[in-house]
Amino acid sequence: MSRTIAVVAYPGVEILDVAGPLEVFAAAGEVMVRKGRVAESPYRVQVLAPQAGPLQSQSGIGLVADRALGRVSGGIDTLLVAGGMGTREMATDARVLAWLRRMAPRVRRLGSVCTGTFVLAAAGLLDGRRATTHWAWCDELARAHPRVTVDPDPIFVRDGNVYLSKIA
Amino acid sequence: MSRTIAVVAYPGVEILDVAGPLEVFAAAGEVMVRKGRVAESPYRVQVLAPQAGPLQSQSGIGLVADRALGRVSGGIDTLLVAGGMGTREMATDARVLAWLRRMAPRVRRLGSVCTGTFVLAAAGLLDGRRATTHWAWCDELARAHPRVTVDPDPIFVRDGNVYLSKIA
């Protein structure tokens, strides 16, 4: 059984927030195959974005989104929202927020990297939960989302099946 | 004056080897602008590849090459070859090796990340120099390139204007 690990990207995404988590799963699968434990990697990594195809990351490096949000085939095991300056637009995009609200109850694990937390918070998915984001943005997260309990200290916060990380 | 920092990518490249170095320069430029030291970033980051456009990295994440090798406009300040399984093909691609030999004397700094060292070595650009690569590949580098002095210990080796790093 293959598990889809999907990261939500967008123009202005921090490319390391996309590549970091996906590479961990890709490398883990590769090691399992090399050691003969499985015939093929149990992890399928996917980059999602509002639109499929090339997009420009925050630093200017071009990234390719495999699929548009909502065009995901099969289920998603782990859904992560990457950080980056582009979260400002993502966090006000009603279609993105509606898609996240629809997907959240259907994934095994939901999470974000860095300022990706702002998008999950804007979707209301962190209400009543503990959360964190990059050190520089914890105050703003707490101000903008009073129903979220922001903890600025830990590198990552897990609350139920929601995983929020300060950095990639 | 803007300095072009270019990383050579290719199908099967390790995406972190591309993004890691370029993000450092992009972030440094951003900080300099934010602090008011410069009006715009002194660094222009570029991803090069045998062909311009989308390419699939080793883990499956799609990356976009800004330009084809040989279609670079203006000079390159710092030219780096990224690592990844695709270096096997790159190191036997006569056009790539010829391009590197042509560019090497024209750049201020030449370098590689991880197994990118194999491509520079195959181009003969490390003959008589100290070099390193990822721990797992130092023996093979030394065997394949007896004119290169492989030092397996340091995280990075600098020999003149050539910088070789084990990892991103």
Side-chain angles (χ1 to χ4, degrees):
Chain A
M1 191 206 66
S2 159
R3 289 181 166 174
T4 295
I5 315 296
V7 172
V8 177
Y10 42 84
V13 73
E14 169 56 58
I15 195 169
L16 295 176
D17 291 6
V18 179
L22 292 184
E23 294 264 295
V24 170
F25 286 98
E30 207 182 288
V31 169
M32 291 163 84
V33 170
R34 204 187 313 138
K35 295 200 169 178
R37 294 197 194 147
V38 290
E40 59 181 32
S41 173
Y43 302 116
R44 199 165 63 118
V45 304
Q46 259 189 356
V47 178
L48 309 177
Q51 294 181 343
L55 59 90
Q56 194 171 47
S57 72
Q58 187 175 318
S59 62
I61 302 173
L63 197 62
V64 181
D66 299 308
R67 285 175 184 275
L69 299 179
R71 300 299 292 271
V72 182
S73 66
I76 294 178
D77 176 79
T78 303
L79 177 63
L80 304 170
V81 180
M85 294 309 288
T87 48
R88 292 179 191 282
E89 277 175 45
M90 289 286 277
T92 57
D93 186 323
R95 289 202 312 166
V96 169
L97 302 181
W99 183 83
L100 285 169
R101 277 191 289 264
R102 201 159 63 239
M103 292 304 293
R106 296 164 52 190
V107 301
R108 188 168 67 91
R109 294 185 290 204
L110 179 70
S112 66
V113 181
C114 192
T115 51
T117 307
F118 280 85
V119 184
L120 293 181
L125 294 167
L126 304 182
D127 288 358
R129 289 193 188 266
R130 280 178 65 233
T132 197
T133 185
H134 189 283
W135 295 271
W137 302 101
C138 282
D139 286 351
E140 185 172 326
L141 183 67
R143 263 198 309 274
H145 300 284
R147 296 161 83 173
V148 180
T149 307
V150 178
D151 188 342
D153 292 327
I155 289 286
F156 77 95
V157 162
R158 176 190 172 177
D159 186 333
N161 73 333
V162 178
Y163 298 74
L164 309 166
S165 162
K166 281 187 139 38
I167 50 170
Chain B
M1 193 204 65
S2 159
R3 289 181 166 174
T4 296
I5 315 296
V7 173
V8 177
Y10 43 84
V13 74
E14 168 55 58
I15 195 169
L16 294 177
D17 292 7
V18 179
L22 292 184
E23 294 264 293
V24 170
F25 286 98
E30 206 182 290
V31 169
M32 290 162 84
V33 170
R34 204 185 314 139
K35 294 198 169 180
R37 294 198 194 147
V38 289
E40 60 182 32
S41 174
Y43 302 116
R44 198 165 63 117
V45 304
Q46 259 188 355
V47 178
L48 308 178
Q51 294 181 342
L55 60 90
Q56 194 173 44
S57 72
Q58 186 175 317
S59 61
I61 302 173
L63 198 62
V64 181
D66 299 307
R67 285 175 183 274
L69 299 179
R71 300 298 294 270
V72 183
S73 67
I76 294 177
D77 176 78
T78 302
L79 177 62
L80 304 170
V81 180
M85 294 308 289
T87 47
R88 294 178 191 281
E89 278 177 43
M90 289 287 277
T92 57
D93 186 323
R95 289 202 314 168
V96 169
L97 301 182
W99 182 82
L100 285 169
R101 277 191 288 265
R102 203 160 61 240
M103 291 305 292
R106 296 163 54 190
V107 302
R108 188 168 66 90
R109 295 186 289 203
L110 179 68
S112 67
V113 181
C114 192
T115 52
T117 307
F118 280 85
V119 185
L120 293 181
L125 293 166
L126 304 181
D127 289 358
R129 289 192 189 266
R130 281 178 66 233
T132 199
T133 185
H134 189 282
W135 295 270
W137 301 101
C138 281
D139 287 352
E140 184 172 328
L141 183 67
R143 263 197 308 274
H145 300 285
R147 297 162 83 174
V148 179
T149 307
V150 179
D151 188 342
D153 292 326
I155 288 286
F156 77 95
V157 162
R158 176 189 172 178
D159 186 332
N161 73 330
V162 179
Y163 300 73
L164 308 166
S165 162
K166 281 188 141 35
I167 50 168

